[in-house]
Amino acid sequence: MAPPQSGDGGGAAGDLLETGLLAASAVKEDEDAGKTTTSGRLADEQGTATTSSRVRRGARHVAAQLQEVFLGTRLFPLFAAVPLAVAAQHLRLGRAWVFVFSLIGLAPLAERVSFLSEHIADTAGPTAGGILNATCGNVPELIIALFALHKEKMEILKWSLLGSILSNLLLVLGSSLLCGGLANTGKERPLDRRQADVSIGLLMLGVLCHILPLLSKYTNGTGDGISSSGSVLELSRLSAIVMLTAYFGGLIFQLKTHRQIFEQEDSSESGSTSGNDDSSSVIGFASAVIWLIGMTVVIAVLSNYVVTTIEEASESLGIPLRFISIILLPIVGNAAEHAGAIIFAFKNKIDITLGIALGSATQISLLVVPIILIVSWVNGIPMDLDLNLLETGSLVMTVFTTAFTLQDDKWHYLKGFNLTLCYVVIAVCFFTIKALPTPKKVHA
């Protein structure tokens, strides 16, 4: 048997080596492909986990905001009246039910608007933030007034704005002084008269602009009712321009030239109190703006229901329309100011309480009223500043009583008790008085 050739053996060995290298290379490629697939799968899983984690965090953040907005107030059970009002309107359950549910639903919405405006106002400083807070607090009154103007319900429009001023000066301020005085008997801090004097002076101007149209009716010697009404209308429109000028002059005084008068007390106290609240709050600036817009839309819907059904509800419930407009509507609209003023009075921070009550009343008198009158002027709707004799007398006595109450730097529960009783007397008066005949409309 012949031995194998050396060339054949070398070729076979080379083939085996090449086959082994190819096999090893294939195994390595398979391993690399497997690693690539595994790493891609892990990356996909990580991306999915990251997305789901973001979704969970977003959901938790939204749930926390919902809890803070709706459950963060003691009035949260009243939110149930909002869908009930909408259901009563669409199911035609009766005008009285629509009015009652709408009125109840406005209370927590007004309080939450003030709460959200505080978050927005934190970036504006104490004085500017307080003005912004008062502006947002008057949103319900402004919206109700605009709807009443659109439907040309002039008496309801005037009564609701008058009632807001009376409520802020007598009920909000009076109950705050009463509760704060009882809680801090013997420890009352002196109040800063400078802030009160500025607001009282502006309110006196507003009272004058309401008195003159009323008096001009009795001093016009022509005997022509249409001519007299025309002069009252012209005087009211010119007075509205003066009132707006006075309000913006007061803003320049507070925010620019004499801001130290209004911020020296608030900067230390309100900053320390609001800092603790903001650190635990989950609502930022953008979220507060979005929530505020949504709340305003809902307030507009309910305000339309209130204005539409108030007359039928007055007849069904047996409550005078004047009492509902002057007393009930402002109490609901001023829920935010009322709660905030009492809380600060309990904490013996009476200057902040004065800023809330007097600031809101001043803004209604010198900003909201003339704006509504100018809007009616532009739209050709006759509206004047004549509130009739009884209403004007109530306004005059309210401003003078508040001025005398705050004439010194002392405060105690008896002053608040007197203011609250004054509001009770006015409420009883408007509840018992009979309706006046509807005046004739005078076109511009």
Side-chain angles (χ1 to χ4, degrees), residues 96-118:
W97 287 109
V98 177
F99 176 80
V100 170
F101 286 139
S102 300
L103 198 64
I104 295 175
L106 283 174
L109 289 171
E111 195 277 336
R112 289 290 87 182
V113 164
S114 178
F115 166 77
L116 293 169
S117 66
E118 290 178 1

Side-chain angles (χ1 to χ4, degrees), residues 131-193:
I131 294 174
L132 177 62
N133 193 10
T135 303
C136 294
N138 290 325
V139 164
E141 292 94 330
L142 178 60
I143 294 177
I144 290 175
L146 289 175
F147 276 112
L149 177 65
H150 177 69
K151 298 178 184 300
E152 297 190 20
K153 297 183 178 181
M154 293 295 108
E155 295 299 321
I156 296 175
L157 167 59
K158 294 179 181 180
W159 287 339
S160 64
L161 294 177
L162 168 67
S164 182
I165 299 174
L166 302 182
S167 175
N168 277 294
L169 294 180
L170 296 180
L171 181 61
V172 175
L173 182 59
S175 60
S176 299
L177 294 178
L178 175 60
C179 297
L182 292 175
N184 300 281
T185 302
K187 301 180 295 183
E188 298 93 342
R189 298 173 58 181
L191 56 87
D192 188 0
R193 282 187 54 196

Side-chain angles (χ1 to χ4, degrees), residues 36-51:
T36 303
T37 304
T38 304
S39 61
R41 188 182 300 110
L42 291 175
D44 293 339
E45 292 177 355
Q46 290 177 355
T48 304
T50 302
T51 302

